[in-house]
Amino acid sequence: MLNKMGAHVRGAGTSHLEIEGTEELMAVEHRVIPDRVVVATYLAAVGIAGGDIVIDDARPEHMEMLLHKLGSMGLILEHTLRACAPRAADSRTRPTWRPCPTRGWRRTTSRSS
């Protein structure tokens, strides 16, 4: 987007980025990549409640693992990310180390009741 506006950006996609500004930037039109977390939330809601949904402009290539899991749970997914006919599926988590926001670091595991 900055290149379109008149700045000179080099190194995009690498660990070193150089941006050379200009005296003035031009106005441009730019589309923001859709938020995959929001898309996942809508798909999960349809999976739980049933029904159909069409989500325009989503990027399936940014959500391959999620879409695979939702498909294994019975959601019918088309390229438009239309979801319907959900059914249950097995899902397991592995022990992980992650920070607990209120208690610092804590080991968490998944246990069945």
Side-chain angles (χ1 to χ4, degrees):
M1 179 174 93
L2 288 173
N3 282 327
K4 286 186 209 176
M5 295 176 77
H8 303 284
V9 179
R10 291 179 291 283
T14 69
S15 62
H16 183 78
L17 191 64
E18 292 181 31
I19 302 173
E20 182 182 331
T22 63
E23 291 292 321
E24 191 173 328
L25 296 173
M26 298 178 290
V28 297
E29 286 194 29
H30 181 72
R31 285 188 78 131
V32 176
I33 294 173
D35 186 332
R36 67 180 187 267
V37 175
V38 173
V39 172
T41 301
Y42 290 139
L43 291 175
V46 169
I48 292 167
D52 295 340
I53 188 170
V54 174
I55 301 173
D56 293 325
D57 297 327
R59 300 246 176 133
E61 66 273 15
H62 292 179
M63 303 175 281
E64 289 176 355
M65 187 177 357
L66 170 71
L67 296 177
H68 174 74
K69 190 59 178 176
L70 291 173
S72 75
M73 295 171 73
L75 269 68
I76 298 169
L77 302 167
E78 299 173 1
H79 288 281
T80 58
L81 294 182
R82 183 176 178 192
C84 63
R87 71 172 189 268
D90 288 336
S91 180
R92 293 182 182 203
T93 59
R94 298 168 61 192
T96 59
W97 286 93
R98 65 180 178 142
C100 180
T102 58
R103 297 186 187 165
W105 290 90
R106 186 175 128 185
R107 183 173 181 140
T108 59
T109 58
S110 162
R111 296 182 188 185
S112 49
S113 324

